[in-house]
Amino acid sequence: SAVISQKPSRDICQRGTSLTIQCQVDSQVTMMFWYRQQPGQSLTLIATANQGSEATYESGFVIDKFPISRPNLTFSTLTVSNLSPEDSSIYLCSAIRDRSSYEQYFGPGTRLTVT
Amino acid sequence: KNEVEQSPQNLTAQEGEFITINCSYSVGISALHWLQQHPGGGIVSLFMLSSGKKKHGRLIATINIQEKHSSLHITASHPRDSAVYICAVSFLYSGGGADGLTFGKGTHLIIQP
């Protein structure tokens, strides 16, 4: 298995600012994913973060709003830029060790509130 | 459109009852996950299935690939089982291999003492 930690666990930010969320895995993983869960909604995939290449974004999510870094095989960051109240959500990081295994490991999530 | 449907959306039961949560999906998948989310937001992976049945303690998960349906059962339910249970799938892509998950909306389960 893999243990994933996220920082911060929660934050309250002002409109117009940005928040960077860190995701750390205790072992090397092949792929990392970032998800968003808006209040009362299901989790939605934002992007796939691969080491050594740019992130792949899902429809409705753009790099300017959600820049992602993946500098190595154990770490990724998601920045939520130019915050608005609509960005208030739980942001979740997950990872898979081996693309053929399908087993995903999940971080504890970051609860963001934008005022 | 690749969709994941869960039912019921909300479920309240008495301690000790047998609980069933259902999940159906629209197209072929490579794997189905059952997840548990507590009020703080953290997610725990309960099961990953690609066929058949798995059991862990009081939890049982089954999947029928032909019918595109899965169920999560909880035997001898307890108030500590109260949480949101989420079904998520990896849809088959032409390139093969694992990708990001598509999630159901979750089932809010409350077990009363």
Side-chain angles (χ1 to χ4, degrees):
Chain A
S1 65
V3 177
I4 299 180
S5 59
Q6 283 184 234
K7 290 183 181 179
S9 58
R10 58 178 61 226
D11 207 342
I12 300 172
C13 299
Q14 291 193 338
R15 185 193 303 252
T17 63
S18 298
L19 177 69
T20 295
I21 303 167
Q22 298 179 3
C23 178
Q24 179 73 56
V25 190
D26 68 345
S27 56
Q28 292 185 349
V29 291
T30 305
M31 299 172 75
M32 298 180 74
F33 304 96
W34 287 99
Y35 297 93
R36 180 179 72 180
Q37 185 179 34
Q38 294 177 302
Q41 302 298 313
S42 57
L43 284 146
T44 301
L45 179 65
I46 297 171
T48 302
N50 298 311
Q51 194 264 341
S53 63
E54 287 200 3
T56 303
Y57 289 83
E58 297 299 301
S59 176
F61 297 96
V62 295
I63 188 171
D64 289 346
K65 176 68 175 176
F66 299 99
I68 288 171
S69 76
R70 177 87 192 273
N72 56 51
L73 292 175
T74 64
F75 187 78
S76 177
T77 66
L78 168 73
T79 299
V80 189
S81 304
N82 190 24
L83 290 168
S84 68
E86 292 72 34
D87 295 320
S88 297
S89 300
I90 294 172
Y91 292 87
L92 197 71
C93 167
S94 77
I96 57 172
R97 189 188 307 283
D98 178 349
R99 197 173 187 213
S100 66
S101 74
Y102 302 110
E103 185 155 10
Q104 289 208 17
Y105 306 99
F106 295 90
T110 296
R111 185 179 292 272
L112 169 62
T113 301
V114 182
T115 60
Chain B
K1 183 180 176 183
N2 299 340
E3 293 183 337
V4 179
E5 299 286 340
Q6 272 187 249
S7 64
Q9 189 172 354
N10 297 285
L11 178 58
T12 300
Q14 295 297 312
E15 183 173 358
E17 286 190 38
F18 182 82
I19 303 299
T20 296
I21 300 170
N22 297 299
C23 176
S24 60
Y25 48 91
S26 54
V27 297
I29 64 170
S30 51
L32 182 144
H33 302 253
W34 281 104
L35 311 168
Q36 182 189 57
Q37 185 175 32
H38 285 283
I43 286 186
V44 174
S45 179
L46 300 175
F47 295 104
M48 186 191 69
L49 296 163
S50 54
S51 65
K53 174 181 176 179
K54 286 189 177 180
K55 184 177 188 291
H56 184 252
R58 295 181 294 106
L59 301 177
I60 303 167
T62 64
I63 188 168
N64 184 318
I65 297 296
Q66 288 73 30
E67 294 187 2
K68 298 184 176 60
H69 180 269
S70 176
S71 293
L72 176 68
H73 306 285
I74 305 174
T75 62
S77 59
H78 190 277
R80 65 174 175 266
D81 297 325
S82 299
V84 177
Y85 292 84
I86 302 170
C87 172
V89 302
S90 297
F91 285 109
L92 283 170
Y93 290 94
S94 58
D99 282 288
L101 299 175
T102 300
F103 293 80
K105 291 188 175 182
T107 295
H108 294 249
L109 174 66
I110 298 173
I111 304 297
Q112 296 178 336

